[in-house]
Amino acid sequence: MTTGVEGYMYPNEITLYWSVLIVLYPYITGLVAGAFILASLERVFRVDAVKPTYRLALLTALAFLLVAPLPLQLHLGHPERSLEMYFTPHRTSAMAMFGFVYLWYLMAVLTVEIWLDYRRDIVVMAQSSSGLKRWIYRVLTLGSNNINERALAIDERVGWLITLIGIPSAFLLHGYVGFIFGSIKANPWWSSPLMPVVFIFSAMVSGIAAVMLLYMLIMRLRREKIDMLCVDTIARYLFYIFIVDFSLEMLDLVHRIYEADESFRTLNFMVHTKLYFSQIVLQIFVGTLTPILLLALTQVLKLPEIARKRIYTVAGCLTLIGIFAMRWNVVIGGQLFSKSFLGYTTYKMALATREGLLMSIALTLLPLFILWVLVKLLPPWPEKVQAEIPATTAAN
Amino acid sequence: MSVFKDSGHLFRLAALYAVGTLTFLGIRAFFVPRSFGQYGHYRGAAIAEIAAHPVHYAGHQACETCHADVQEMKRSGMHAQVNCEACHGPLAKHADDPSIQPAKLDTAVLCVRCHAASAARPKGFPQVAAVDHSNGLPCETCHQPHNPAIGAGGAK
């Protein structure tokens, strides 16, 4: 029972209750928020170069958002009870209010924006496809086939507005996850007003890296040419945001070191022992400094295309590992030490249980599968649908 | 005019959301118990339901009306403050109807619950490493449960 405990732990601290699934939860919501911010770059900030990834980013956000509550439900059990959160809203529970933040983002922002953006294609495909697909598209048109210029112009304007609302909403979505941790005043590892901000920036970093990788991967699978201007631009934004993210994390660190409150000795010891590999090695060196240096290289040197692609791929993968390590260090790290500051426990991940390793791998792959279905259903490649538009609608 | 016509699909979307919200409110009205929120963030009727649970413990005053001899012995010993039912378990049924016999206690299990040596207990609290101390004998061989000091109540 007490294996893995060093020093003194209170009895209720010995086993970690928040497992690897709770690590996945901020990781996945972070990818959602980040992917959405990338999409809004094109829409609101008019960065035209990233247009090829606009729709892909939206679909990625949706695919991951649909999976985001699953780790929580698997962790808590009784998924049917999650509806109670909406039936009887508990205003003083931060976690219960997340249900509404989630619902708002899913229903008021993401689905509406995707629907508006795809409406023209949906109407076209409802006419050109057959069988089950035809029915799906027909339902998605909501019975309106109006895609004349004025209707599309209205969609464009409303879509812009939704994106505008969507940016603070995406910040809220992931800032809120940070807030849930940052507001736990009993835990010095979490309790920090910087937490939501750090979460937002790390979310942007991971989401942008994920969409960049997905874009390059899908283009490869489709044997199409990667739009280098697009990828270069994404990489540049990734670089900038990464620097902000890193500075914020360092700010937090410096603040903690200088403040050196009563928890400092314990946390410091933990970072040098139990968390050394995941925090210092994986998160900071492998997952942050290396990708930043690699991306900086592409900014200062004139590298050939193939070298840039490779660097982006490596940097993107390392980034995703680093951000995962960051979530891990927050969630797991926050439970490894005793509130008495006199001891440490160990997290032992199960393999084939409801909260084990296999389950978390499945949960990481599930969004990719959903994305695959979404991409089949709502192809993000405008040129393809353009070519398919039958003469009837072209006349409109 | 045509603005309304060309944004017809948006009204359809709004209508869909409105229908969704109404459905939700309908389901909610059905599922949320009437007394929810009466006193706080829980079902008010739960209080009456809990109050209606049968009583399991009679309380030591009840025991003492009939077992004055035990009470007398217990009063002078270190177990004076230990409630009868802390050792004998819930006996409301027996107190109502003494013909219901309480279960016999096994002191080898009972006493160590409170007296097994443990670092978590206050230092001054009487505690023993049972294996060394009693060598497997039931505790009541030497201690009288109701007045446990050796020689106080006299071993049984």
Side-chain angles (χ1 to χ4, degrees), chain A residues 277 280-291 315 318-319 321-322:
Chain A
F277 181 71
I280 308 283
V281 178
L282 270 190
Q283 183 186 331
I284 295 185
F285 280 99
V286 176
T288 305
L289 289 178
T290 318
L318 290 182
T319 306
I321 295 175

Side-chain angles (χ1 to χ4, degrees), chain A residues 86-90 107 112 115-116 119 142-144 146 148 150-151 155, chain B residues 2-3 5-7 9-10 12-13 16-17 24 27-28 31-32 36 41:
Chain A
Y86 298 115
F87 286 161
T88 55
H90 199 310
M107 299 310 289
V112 178
W115 185 71
L116 286 175
R119 218 175 59 79
L142 299 185
S144 158
N146 184 356
N148 68 29
R150 273 189 311 270
D155 285 355
Chain B
S2 73
V3 171
K5 216 173 130 238
D6 288 327
S7 52
H9 56 283
L10 294 180
R12 280 168 192 261
L13 183 69
L16 185 69
Y17 273 47
F24 167 78
I27 298 176
R28 180 177 183 277
F31 272 112
V32 176
F36 186 88
H41 197 80

Side-chain angles (χ1 to χ4, degrees), chain B residues 12-86:
Chain B
R12 280 168 192 261
L13 183 69
L16 185 69
Y17 273 47
V19 170
T21 311
L22 286 179
T23 316
F24 167 78
L25 289 178
I27 298 176
R28 180 177 183 277
F30 179 73
F31 272 112
V32 176
R34 288 205 162 275
S35 66
F36 186 88
Q38 193 180 350
Y39 307 114
H41 197 80
Y42 59 91
R43 198 164 50 85
I47 291 186
E49 277 167 32
I50 293 167
H53 280 318
V55 173
H56 295 292
Y57 289 88
H60 66 99
Q61 294 95 336
C63 316
E64 285 155 14
T65 51
C66 298
H67 296 286
D69 53 333
V70 177
Q71 145 79 350
E72 193 56 39
M73 183 189 293
K74 198 161 131 333
R75 201 166 51 194
S76 53
M78 290 285 265
H79 276 171
Q81 301 304 322
V82 184
N83 210 312
C84 314
E85 286 163 304

Side-chain angles (χ1 to χ4, degrees), chain B residues 48-134:
Chain B
E49 277 167 32
I50 293 167
H53 280 318
V55 173
H56 295 292
Y57 289 88
H60 66 99
Q61 294 95 336
C63 316
E64 285 155 14
T65 51
C66 298
H67 296 286
D69 53 333
V70 177
Q71 145 79 350
E72 193 56 39
M73 183 189 293
K74 198 161 131 333
R75 201 166 51 194
S76 53
M78 290 285 265
H79 276 171
Q81 301 304 322
V82 184
N83 210 312
C84 314
E85 286 163 304
C87 292
H88 286 285
L91 280 183
K93 278 194 187 134
H94 163 75
D96 281 346
D97 175 8
S99 66
I100 299 175
Q101 277 281 323
K104 281 261 174 258
L105 299 175
D106 178 3
T107 50
V109 192
L110 171 71
C111 313
V112 288
R113 209 166 70 202
C114 296
H115 289 292
S118 160
R121 298 195 200 282
K123 283 213 169 58
F125 189 83
Q127 40 196 308
V128 291
V131 186
D132 302 340
H133 180 75
S134 72

Side-chain angles (χ1 to χ4, degrees), chain A residues 85-353:
Chain A
M85 195 160 66
Y86 298 115
F87 286 161
T88 55
H90 199 310
R91 284 188 309 278
T92 52
S93 158
M95 205 58 234
M97 281 299 113
F98 180 76
F100 289 89
V101 175
Y102 176 84
L103 195 68
W104 164 262
Y105 190 69
L106 177 67
M107 299 310 289
V109 176
L110 206 50
T111 15
V112 178
E113 176 158 353
I114 293 180
W115 185 71
L116 286 175
D117 196 66
Y118 272 99
R119 218 175 59 79
R120 198 179 114 274
D121 297 8
I122 291 173
V123 172
V124 171
M125 288 184 293
Q127 286 158 10
S128 62
S129 59
S130 59
L132 178 67
K133 263 194 160 180
R134 189 187 176 87
W135 276 104
I136 297 178
Y137 290 131
R138 278 191 147 180
V139 170
L140 287 179
T141 59
L142 299 185
S144 158
N145 287 337
N146 184 356
I147 48 172
N148 68 29
E149 258 166 46
R150 273 189 311 270
L152 291 181
I154 291 174
D155 285 355
E156 174 66 25
R157 242 174 302 154
V158 176
W160 182 83
L161 192 71
I162 297 275
T163 318
L164 200 62
I165 301 170
I167 296 174
S169 301
F171 275 46
L172 176 70
L173 178 78
H174 204 63
Y176 199 92
V177 178
F179 162 76
I180 286 177
F181 286 99
S183 61
I184 298 182
K185 57 176 170 278
N187 189 320
W189 186 245
W190 291 335
S191 173
S192 154
L194 261 184
M195 202 62 129
V197 188
V198 171
F199 262 55
I200 288 172
F201 277 90
S202 58
M204 288 199 254
V205 170
S206 67
I208 292 175
V211 175
M212 181 179 80
L213 286 177
L214 279 171
Y215 173 71
M216 292 203 285
L217 179 75
I218 293 179
M219 281 302 158
R220 224 197 150 120
L221 292 179
R222 290 164 50 89
R223 293 174 207 290
E224 274 176 32
K225 210 178 133 19
I226 294 176
D227 183 339
M228 273 324 270
L229 179 63
C230 167
V231 183
D232 283 335
T233 314
I234 296 181
R236 199 172 62 239
Y237 278 100
L238 180 61
F239 176 60
Y240 294 155
I241 296 174
F242 220 150
I243 289 183
V244 178
D245 177 46
F246 185 60
S247 331
L248 282 172
E249 278 181 40
M250 287 305 110
L251 190 64
D252 186 44
L253 193 70
V254 170
H255 185 89
R256 278 169 192 272
I257 294 176
Y258 188 74
E259 198 181 44
D261 66 7
E262 70 275 14
S263 68
F264 180 71
R265 247 165 44 105
T266 312
L267 302 184
N268 188 37
F269 179 77
M270 186 169 77
V271 169
H272 284 92
T273 51
K274 293 207 178 247
L275 283 187
Y276 186 77
F277 181 71
S278 60
Q279 176 117 12
I280 308 283
V281 178
L282 270 190
Q283 183 186 331
I284 295 185
F285 280 99
V286 176
T288 305
L289 289 178
T290 318
I292 286 184
L293 280 180
L294 285 176
L295 290 172
L297 222 57
T298 63
Q299 298 300 312
V300 289
L301 297 182
K302 280 254 168 296
L303 293 169
E305 196 175 306
I306 182 79
R308 293 211 303 281
K309 273 189 212 161
R310 288 198 181 135
I311 289 184
Y312 294 157
T313 311
V314 174
C317 292
L318 290 182
T319 306
L320 288 182
I321 295 175
I323 301 291
F324 183 81
M326 182 254 178
R327 310 290 190 231
W328 174 280
N329 294 325
V330 169
V331 175
I332 302 295
Q335 303 172 82
L336 288 182
F337 62 95
S338 168
K339 181 86 173 69
S340 66
F341 302 135
L342 293 174
Y344 306 87
T345 185
T346 311
Y347 174 55
K348 189 169 176 304
M349 200 194 311
L351 180 66
T353 61

